[in-house]
Amino acid sequence: DAGITQSPRHKVTETGTPVTLRCHQTENHRYMYWYRQDPGHGLRLIHYSYGVKDTDKGEVSDGYSVSRSKTEDFLLTLESATSSQTSVYFCAISELNTEAFFGQGTRLTVV
Amino acid sequence: QQQVKQSPQSLIVQKGGIPIINCAYENTAFDYFPWYQQFPGKGPALLIAIRPDVSEKKEGRFTISFNKSAKQFSLHIMDSQPGDSATYFCAATHAGKSTFGDGTTLTVKP
């Protein structure tokens, strides 16, 4: 695997609590992404970053925020978790319009 | 509005068969078209990719056919093997953002 690590790998949390997922890369890639994967929906972009402190929304950004204070770290925060946010979350890294390298995923369950 | 439509949703072939997965896109600004392979419990991994200035690309048993005028591209897997059983995603990329198809679950029977 490319140098990309997601943490935690699994998490169970209660409705209404904030949750932060971390993505760490050692490849110095400019672009970082958060996707969620749900059955029948493929991979849907939540937020992405094109540089330190430069982020933008994807197609399913409501209820999520991100931060990138260093090139290597991209954090995804669920401000107040809901059951609809139960999903598998993938972080990815890339350079402009080239191959994306994906992490192993984080399985999040909101109860 | 779904910008990348992938079909079929699932596909079953015998070993040695040639599964074909199709994708269609709408945005003519897309300029990079990768295919990813995903095994259960793993993240997607790049299989093969094409840019719109070529109509076909082969890498081993995997071929992408690209039709720019029709805004369609497809993945062909020659001499498919049980180890190719996985979920396949097409994607279309522009300005650093990728839009994915919904995926095709391929089963290759021995």
Side-chain angles (χ1 to χ4, degrees):
Chain A
D1 292 339
I4 178 169
T5 305
Q6 291 185 230
S7 59
R9 294 291 315 281
H10 301 271
K11 186 170 182 67
V12 179
T13 193
E14 293 186 349
T15 299
T17 60
V19 177
T20 295
L21 308 183
R22 181 179 183 242
C23 179
H24 178 78
Q25 64 151 327
T26 57
E27 304 296 323
N28 202 36
H29 280 0
R30 178 183 175 190
Y31 288 82
M32 298 186 76
Y33 309 85
W34 279 107
Y35 292 92
R36 60 178 289 173
Q37 185 173 36
D38 304 289
H41 289 281
L43 291 148
R44 293 183 291 175
L45 182 64
I46 304 171
H47 283 279
Y48 71 106
S49 169
Y50 47 94
V52 173
K53 296 189 175 153
D54 292 323
T55 65
D56 203 353
K57 296 179 179 180
E59 62 180 299
V60 290
S61 60
D62 287 349
Y64 302 94
S65 62
V66 290
S67 66
R68 191 173 179 194
S69 59
K70 299 185 291 184
T71 299
E72 57 266 34
D73 290 324
F74 192 34
L75 303 180
L76 176 70
T77 297
L78 288 65
E79 295 142 9
S80 178
T82 67
S83 59
S84 65
Q85 294 175 313
T86 292
S87 186
V88 179
Y89 291 85
F90 285 100
C91 176
I93 61 175
S94 79
E95 293 298 337
L96 181 63
N97 292 352
T98 60
E99 173 184 4
F101 297 93
F102 285 82
Q104 292 280 66
T106 295
R107 184 172 295 276
L108 176 68
T109 303
V110 183
V111 298
Chain B
Q1 183 183 12
Q2 187 174 19
Q3 293 193 57
V4 178
K5 294 184 179 180
Q6 183 173 343
S7 62
Q9 189 173 24
S10 62
L11 191 53
I12 301 173
V13 299
Q14 293 294 130
K15 178 183 175 182
I18 306 175
I20 300 172
I21 305 171
N22 300 297
C23 283
Y25 63 96
E26 298 169 8
N27 186 351
T28 56
F30 289 134
D31 52 10
Y32 177 69
F33 300 88
W35 284 91
Y36 291 88
Q37 180 187 55
Q38 184 180 29
F39 293 104
K42 301 290 188 181
L46 181 73
L47 191 62
I48 185 173
I50 198 168
R51 298 192 187 272
D53 52 342
V54 298
S55 60
E56 185 177 275
K57 183 174 182 180
K58 291 184 180 180
E59 287 186 1
R61 296 185 294 109
F62 302 95
T63 299
I64 298 179
S65 298
F66 187 84
N67 186 329
K68 187 175 181 178
S69 61
K71 293 187 285 185
Q72 295 176 349
F73 57 111
S74 59
L75 175 70
H76 301 232
I77 305 175
M78 307 300 290
D79 188 27
S80 59
Q81 301 296 312
D84 296 329
S85 296
T87 301
Y88 293 81
F89 293 95
C90 64
T93 303
H94 173 65
K97 288 173 61 175
S98 292
T99 301
F100 286 79
D102 286 345
T104 297
T105 301
L106 172 66
T107 302
V108 181
K109 293 195 168 184

